[in-house]
Amino acid sequence: MPLSRSRVSIKEIDQTRNFKAINMIGLAGVAFLLFFGANAIFQENYLLAAVLFGSSAFGLFSILLMQSTRNYGYGSYGISIPVIIVFAYLIASGGVENTGPLWCYSLFLIIMLLQGFKKGVMAFFGLLIVAIVLMFYPNLSFVSAEYSQTFKIRFIASFIALGIMASLYEYLRWKSQNDYVAISHELELASRTDTLTGLANRRAMQASLEIEQSLFFRHGHPFSIIMMDLDHFKQINDRYGHGKGDELLIQIARLLSKEVRQQDLVCRWGGEEFLILLPQTNQEHSLVVAEKLRKAIEAIDLEVIGIADSVTASFGVECISATRNISELIAESDRKLYEAKRHGRNQVFDPAGRICATGTVE
């Protein structure tokens, strides 16, 4: 069973940040477009005003659609599309007194910010091609602006320089974010993993138990736990040393992980005590699993790690349907483990208070 993720993932944090950024950039962009649209009307440049007002309306609609659907794509693409249209129009028309291209730098940066590194680089090359075609391709009927050869060369060169610098910055930010995600994942995994055995620790088990309990209350899916403790583990530590004791725990952890199903979760509960979670498993089947584990531990060959003694374990099994909550479930399985110890160890204690040592449920 995979370990449950943290309540607020890094992806969700990043999506929230992007959502806020799109809102702020989009609303600011709409305000600017409306202002310059009004200015274009004042200067009787009605075509420019129509492009600016239309782009602002499209951007505002995209923001409202994003807010209502909580879909980040509507906002990022809904703003990027009118930005590209304005970019092309400002170069083709020259804007006001041929100053339109000067605004293209900031328009490109908006797209890079909204689309991220990979899509931003693609947008950069696309905008660069658009600018080159509009400025250098002769006799385009819809291009009314006239620029000097020097201005065109300097604009393209400066746009390329800006694109390279912006792409490098966005790449480093993207790489740092990926590194941060990887480190956070490792820390999250470490916080839920036992360092010696590599099994889940108490925190991870507690989270998984809460999930299973929720499924049980909602859908009635039963689950069981097996509390297991190695018999006479202290004697092995005293005789062979704590290093060999640790090697024994690692061997037991590997054995338990191998013997259970993929959806089951094995946890080092503490010391030489292990807890196994069996989703969608009733009391009878969990007893059979516990007996299977008991026999596997009893038969393990420890000479490979330098321990000549045999090792056994005692088991307590409990199903959620017989208790009311996780605390009672754990307490009852622990009580039955104690009963197995009290009756002679190397045993599985069944729910009726009898020793189940045959591999079946009577």
Side-chain angles (χ1 to χ4, degrees):
M1 174 181 291
L3 303 181
S4 60
R5 66 179 179 86
S6 57
R7 292 183 179 179
V8 180
S9 68
I10 295 173
K11 183 178 180 180
E12 291 171 340
I13 294 174
D14 191 53
Q15 287 178 342
T16 301
R17 180 188 66 83
N18 289 337
F19 184 81
K20 292 180 179 179
I22 289 175
N23 272 298
M24 290 187 291
I25 293 172
L27 292 175
V30 167
F32 272 102
L33 290 175
L34 290 175
F35 172 78
F36 287 112
N39 186 61
I41 291 178
F42 180 75
Q43 296 184 3
E44 298 183 353
N45 191 340
Y46 299 114
L47 181 58
L48 175 60
V51 171
L52 295 175
F53 283 140
S55 298
S56 64
F58 188 86
L60 183 60
F61 173 77
S62 300
I63 294 173
L64 295 175
L65 185 62
M66 180 188 69
Q67 290 177 345
S68 63
T69 61
R70 306 300 294 181
N71 188 328
Y72 165 73
Y74 286 132
S76 62
Y77 291 108
I79 295 175
S80 297
I81 291 173
V83 165
I84 293 172
I85 294 174
V86 172
F87 178 94
Y89 178 78
L90 289 176
I91 293 178
S93 67
V96 178
E97 297 181 358
N98 275 5
T99 59
L102 300 179
W103 292 97
C104 292
Y105 302 114
S106 58
L107 295 177
F108 160 67
L109 292 178
I110 291 175
I111 294 178
M112 177 66 78
L113 181 61
L114 292 176
Q115 298 298 331
F117 170 66
K118 293 182 179 180
K119 294 178 181 178
V121 171
M122 294 173 61
F124 162 68
F125 283 108
L127 293 175
L128 179 62
I129 292 173
V130 168
I132 291 174
V133 170
L134 293 177
M135 285 187 165
F136 289 95
Y137 196 86
N139 302 323
L140 290 176
S141 60
F142 55 87
V143 176
S144 59
E146 295 183 1
Y147 307 104
S148 67
Q149 192 72 11
T150 301
F151 177 84
K152 291 188 287 187
I153 294 174
R154 288 180 180 237
F155 173 79
I156 295 299
S158 60
F159 187 77
I160 291 174
L162 176 65
I164 292 174
M165 289 185 289
S167 298
L168 287 174
Y169 172 80
E170 190 63 25
Y171 168 75
L172 293 175
R173 190 192 69 82
W174 171 75
K175 187 175 184 301
S176 298
Q177 185 180 32
N178 287 343
D179 292 342
Y180 174 70
V181 171
I183 293 172
S184 299
H185 176 72
E186 291 176 1
L187 292 174
E188 174 69 14
L189 186 62
S191 71
R192 294 172 173 269
T193 304
D194 177 63
T195 55
L196 176 64
T197 63
L199 297 176
N201 60 14
R202 275 195 179 224
R203 178 185 177 186
M205 175 59 78
Q206 189 68 35
S208 295
L209 286 171
E210 290 174 358
I211 293 174
E212 291 300 324
Q213 180 179 247
S214 176
L215 292 174
F216 172 71
F217 288 149
R218 189 178 308 167
H219 304 294
H221 296 161
F223 69 94
S224 299
I225 63 171
I226 300 173
M227 186 75 75
M228 187 205 92
D229 187 82
L230 295 178
D231 299 327
H232 304 300
F233 181 75
K234 184 177 183 301
Q235 294 180 8
I236 294 177
N237 268 338
D238 293 341
R239 182 175 301 178
Y240 297 98
H242 289 280
K244 292 297 181 183
D246 288 346
E247 290 185 42
L248 172 59
L249 292 175
I250 294 172
Q251 290 292 324
I252 295 297
R254 290 174 180 171
L255 175 66
L256 294 175
S257 299
K258 179 182 177 183
E259 293 293 331
V260 300
R261 303 169 301 179
Q262 185 176 3
Q263 65 264 35
D264 300 333
L265 180 64
V266 181
C267 157
R268 186 184 178 196
W269 196 244
E272 67 272 22
E273 199 170 40
F274 296 84
L275 185 64
I276 301 105
L277 169 62
L278 307 175
Q280 299 189 12
T281 307
N282 58 25
Q283 186 80 31
E284 289 73 22
H285 288 109
S286 58
L287 284 168
V288 174
V289 174
E291 178 60 19
K292 173 188 172 184
L293 296 176
R294 186 196 68 79
K295 288 182 177 180
I297 292 173
E298 188 178 37
I300 191 172
D301 181 14
L302 298 178
E303 291 186 0
V304 293
I305 60 173
I307 297 178
D309 297 359
S310 61
V311 65
T312 60
S314 301
F315 297 80
V317 179
E318 191 56 79
C319 181
I320 186 63
S321 58
T323 59
R324 288 178 295 181
N325 53 53
I326 296 174
S327 298
E328 290 186 6
L329 182 71
I330 295 174
E332 189 60 21
S333 64
D334 195 53
R335 183 191 70 80
K336 291 177 180 178
L337 170 62
Y338 172 79
E339 288 296 323
K341 293 276 190 183
R342 190 169 66 87
H343 281 81
R345 296 181 171 85
N346 191 24
Q347 298 169 359
V348 178
F349 200 80
D350 79 5
R354 301 165 298 173
I355 301 300
C356 174
T358 61
T360 61
V361 178
E362 300 177 4

